[in-house]
Amino acid sequence: PESRCLLNELAAIVGNGLEEIMRHVEGVKPLVMEAIVGAMDQVVRLGQDLIKKEAACGRKMTLELERERSCLVQFVLNMGQLLEQILQNDDHIDPFVDAGGFKTLFLLHTSTMVHGWNFLAHVSPLSSVAVSTLHHSTVEDSLNLAFKCIFLKHAPKKVLDVVTQATSEALQELEAARLDLAKTQSAPDLDPNSLLTLLPENIDLCDLSDETLEAARLD
C-alpha cells in the first residue's frame, strides 16, 4: 500500500480495545487519552504542512500532493472511527476534554479542509454551495459524531468557551483573508465585497453560438 492508513474497520477495532482497557483499568485512562490527543495533534500537523505545500504549488498540483491529501482524509476517518468507540462511554468524555481533545478536534477539522485553488476546485462542482458541505462529507460525518457526544455530555459552559474561542479565531482568519484579497497586486482597486458584480447577470442559454462564445472569451 502507498500509506500506512488503517483500512476498513481496523480503527474502530483499535478504539474498542482502548475503550475496554480504560473501562476496566481506570488508572490508565489519562495515559490513553494523552496518547489519543497526541495522535490527533500529529494529524493536525500533517494537515497544516500539506496546506503550505499546496499553497506553494498554486494551481499545479503534483501527484504526490494528491496522494498526501488522500492519505490525510483517511487518517481523519481513522481518528473519527476511533473516537466513536471511545466517546460512546460518557465516563470518557470529561477526561478526553481535559486532555485537550476538544480543542484539538476543532483543529483537526480546520487543518484538513482544502484551501486555495483546491478549495475552488472542490466547491465549483457543487450544485448549491449554500446547502452543501465545504469539507469532505465523509470527514465531516466522522468528526461530527465526536462533536455531538461532547456537546451532549460535557459541561455546557466549558463547551461554549471552546466553541466561542474557535469561532473567534475563524472570524479573524476570515478577516485576514479579506484584507489580503483587497491587496492583491493583480487587482489593487478590487473591492472584495463586490466580487459577485463581476459575474454576468443575464445569460441566454439559447444564444450560445460560436460567435457569442468567442466574444465572451475575448472579453
Side-chain angles (χ1 to χ4, degrees):
E2 295 182 353
S3 74
R4 297 182 180 275
C5 303
L6 296 178
L7 302 178
N8 300 325
E9 302 299 324
L10 287 179
I13 294 173
V14 172
N16 185 62
L18 293 175
E19 193 280 324
E20 286 195 17
I21 291 175
M22 290 188 291
R23 181 154 38 91
H24 295 291
V25 186
E26 188 71 19
V28 303
K29 184 178 294 187
L31 181 62
V32 173
M33 290 300 180
E34 183 179 345
I36 292 174
V37 175
M40 294 170 62
D41 284 331
Q42 186 173 0
V43 177
V44 168
R45 288 193 294 271
L46 290 174
Q48 293 172 342
D49 290 342
L50 181 57
I51 290 173
K52 295 178 182 178
K53 293 179 183 178
E54 291 175 341
C57 287
R59 295 189 235 184
K60 298 180 180 179
M61 290 294 297
T62 64
L63 181 59
E64 181 63 28
L65 289 180
E66 292 179 357
R67 289 174 176 172
E68 288 188 31
R69 172 63 61 180
S70 297
C71 288
L72 181 64
V73 170
Q74 187 60 54
F75 287 147
V76 179
L77 292 176
N78 287 340
M79 293 306 309
Q81 291 181 8
L82 188 146
L83 291 175
E84 179 181 355
Q85 303 301 316
I86 299 295
L87 299 181
Q88 66 180 349
N89 189 326
D90 295 352
D91 294 335
H92 300 332
I93 293 178
D94 287 348
F96 175 76
V97 175
D98 293 340
F102 192 25
K103 294 181 179 179
T104 305
L105 199 58
F106 276 99
L107 293 175
L108 193 64
H109 185 274
T110 56
S111 63
T112 53
M113 184 178 290
V114 290
H115 289 68
W117 290 105
N118 284 331
F119 176 78
L120 294 178
H122 176 67
V123 300
S124 58
L126 299 179
S127 58
S128 177
V129 177
V131 298
S132 301
T133 172
L134 298 183
H135 212 310
H136 296 278
S137 58
T138 51
V139 169
E140 284 198 345
D141 291 342
S142 179
L143 297 181
N144 280 345
L145 185 57
F147 278 117
K148 290 177 181 179
C149 289
I150 296 174
F151 289 158
L152 292 174
K153 303 298 182 180
H154 195 54
K157 184 180 183 304
K158 293 182 179 180
V159 169
L160 186 59
D161 288 342
V162 176
V163 172
T164 302
Q165 180 181 354
T167 303
S168 177
E169 292 174 354
L171 291 175
Q172 291 175 7
E173 292 179 2
L174 183 61
E175 177 64 14
R178 187 186 70 82
L179 294 176
D180 287 342
L181 180 60
K183 298 177 182 178
T184 302
Q185 295 180 356
S186 60
D189 299 325
L190 183 62
D191 179 6
N193 296 317
S194 60
L195 288 176
L196 292 179
T197 61
L198 301 178
L199 299 177
E201 297 181 2
N202 299 309
I203 300 178
D204 186 359
L205 296 180
C206 297
D207 185 26
L208 293 181
S209 60
D210 293 339
E211 293 78 7
T212 303
L213 294 175
E214 181 64 19
R217 186 185 68 82
L218 295 176
D219 291 340

